[in-house]
Every structure is written in C-alpha cells, then in structure tokens.
C-alpha cells in the first residue's frame, strides 16, 4: 500500500470515528475549506442541500443530528476501497426522522477524495426518497 493510500485510509477512518461521535465541528475539521460536495438535493429533507465550504459541512452534520436519530446498529460501512487519494465506501444507514417519528433504511455509497490530509470531495449516494418519505408527515 502506498503512503497516499495509507493517508487516505487514515483520514477516512478518522472521519467515520468523528461522525460516530456526533461532533459536527470536529468532523468538519477534516474537510478542506472548499469542498466538492454532492448529495442529491431534496427540499423535504432540510439537511440534504448543496454545500461548498467547511462551515457548510459542519452545518450539514449539525442539521442531520437535529433532524434524525440514528437507529442502533443502523449505520455500517461494509466495504472501503482506497486507491491513492480516492476512497469508495458502501454500506447502510437507518434512522428516525425527528419531525415525524418515521424510520428509514437506505443503502449508501460514498466517494471521498483526500488531498494534503483533508477531504476535498464528498459525494454521497443514498435512497433520498426513503429519507424524504420519513420526513414527510402523513396526510
């Protein structure tokens, strides 16, 4: 394994640890000042919207924590593949939308790029429809 791969794996693993600890500012500190951010936008889900800065990243994880309660054992990374400065993760996530009390389950895939020890790209692919349905009150 190359030094770049070791560095990328270390940054991504630290990201996952900080994400699990629930500290948005410490999590965001692993991101570059400018971030190539992609999560399919959904107007029903307040935390799923465009972001482009480290401050935006902190706001995302703060809004996510305010809007969703993770289900016990609902977050898991099943596979991590690292190639140089690129990392691909796949797994599953599940939670309860605080606004409705409804749960959701979603597979996910994420592409992260690490440059100079910071995450510069964060592209997350998830079942945003399932999350939006969980955030939508019953008629």
């Amino acid at each position: 394994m190359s030094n770049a791969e070791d560095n990328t794996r270390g940054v991504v693993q630290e990201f996952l640890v900080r994400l699990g600890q629930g500290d948005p500012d410490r999590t965001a500190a692993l991101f570059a000042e400018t971030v190539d951010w992609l999560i399919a936008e959904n107007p029903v889900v307040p935390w799923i919207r465009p972001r482009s800065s480290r401050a935006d990243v902190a706001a995302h994880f703060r809004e996510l924590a305010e809007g969703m309660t993770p289900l016990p054992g609902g977050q898991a990374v099943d596979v991590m593949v690292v190639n140089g400065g690129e990392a691909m993760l796949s797994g599953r996530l599940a939670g309860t939308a605080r606004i409705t009390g409804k749960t959701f389950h979603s597979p996910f895939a994420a592409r992260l790029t690490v440059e100079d020890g910071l995450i510069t790209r964060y592209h997350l692919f998830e079942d945003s429809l399932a999350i939006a349905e969980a955030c939508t009150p019953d008629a």
Side-chain angles (χ1 to χ4, degrees):
M1 198 176 319
S2 73
N3 285 341
E5 288 172 348
D6 287 342
N7 181 55
T8 299
R9 184 174 304 279
V11 170
V12 172
Q13 288 174 330
E14 181 63 19
F15 164 71
L16 295 171
V17 166
R18 292 182 188 192
L19 188 61
Q21 292 171 339
D23 185 335
D25 293 318
R26 280 193 73 236
T27 302
L30 290 170
F31 285 76
E33 286 296 332
T34 301
V35 180
D36 175 4
W37 180 275
L38 174 70
I39 301 177
E41 188 173 358
N42 191 311
V44 174
V45 185
W47 60 86
I48 300 179
R49 60 185 176 81
R51 312 288 178 156
S52 61
S53 70
R54 181 181 291 156
D56 288 340
V57 171
H60 168 80
F61 290 115
R62 195 171 296 108
E63 293 165 15
L64 175 63
E66 291 167 358
M68 192 263 309
T69 303
L71 292 178
Q75 281 67 29
V77 174
D78 299 323
V79 176
M80 180 189 317
V81 177
V82 176
N83 184 8
E86 302 291 325
M88 292 293 297
L89 309 173
S90 69
R92 59 193 182 287
L93 53 92
T96 302
R98 293 181 196 269
I99 192 168
T100 63
K102 296 180 188 177
T103 62
F104 63 86
H105 299 266
S106 174
F108 78 87
R111 180 179 180 187
L112 291 80
T113 301
V114 174
E115 297 174 8
D116 298 322
L118 295 171
I119 299 168
T120 60
R121 176 186 324 187
Y122 184 78
H123 290 189
L124 179 67
F125 305 93
E126 61 190 358
D127 185 351
S128 58
L129 179 59
I131 297 167
E133 287 175 351
C135 291
T136 302
D138 292 329

